[in-house]
Amino acid sequence: MELAPLLSIVLMIVVFYFFLIRPQQKRQKQVREMHSSLQRGDKIVTIGGLHGTIDAIDEDTVILLVNDNRKLTFDRASVRDIVKD
């Protein structure tokens, strides 16, 4: 019974885990933490590239204040990043 083919398959699975699956899981955790930490007054960027300030927030939506005091409603999941001043 040869172990080389079995070991190569196990090695491939380990490589996939450490280079593909684990980093993706870490990124998803960071995004979940960022979404849960959103609060009124935070300056954010949406996935579409819109910059604004959070005027109101609830469990599923975010109301952004943009130019000329216009308010736009977005899903909370559409927030890409919090802008640090």
Side-chain angles (χ1 to χ4, degrees), residues 70-84:
R70 297 191 190 269
K71 294 181 180 181
L72 303 173
T73 303
F74 286 89
D75 286 340
R76 186 176 249 195
S78 68
V79 176
R80 181 183 69 193
D81 199 13
I82 299 174
V83 177
K84 306 290 183 202

Side-chain angles (χ1 to χ4, degrees), residues 1-61:
M1 189 157 80
E2 292 186 35
L3 292 177
L6 182 62
L7 287 177
S8 64
I9 291 173
V10 170
L11 181 63
M12 263 197 321
I13 291 171
V14 169
V15 167
F16 273 118
Y17 177 76
F18 281 106
F19 287 110
L20 297 174
I21 298 169
R22 189 167 178 240
Q24 180 65 24
Q25 288 175 340
K26 286 178 70 175
R27 176 69 181 137
Q28 286 175 343
K29 182 180 177 186
Q30 289 173 338
V31 168
R32 277 193 310 270
E33 289 173 354
M34 185 263 304
H35 284 167
S36 67
S37 72
L38 291 174
Q39 53 188 315
R40 189 171 191 256
D42 284 348
K43 294 181 181 182
I44 64 162
V45 178
T46 65
I47 292 172
L50 182 81
H51 292 249
T53 303
I54 297 177
D55 185 55
I57 190 167
D58 68 12
E59 192 172 313
D60 297 325
T61 59

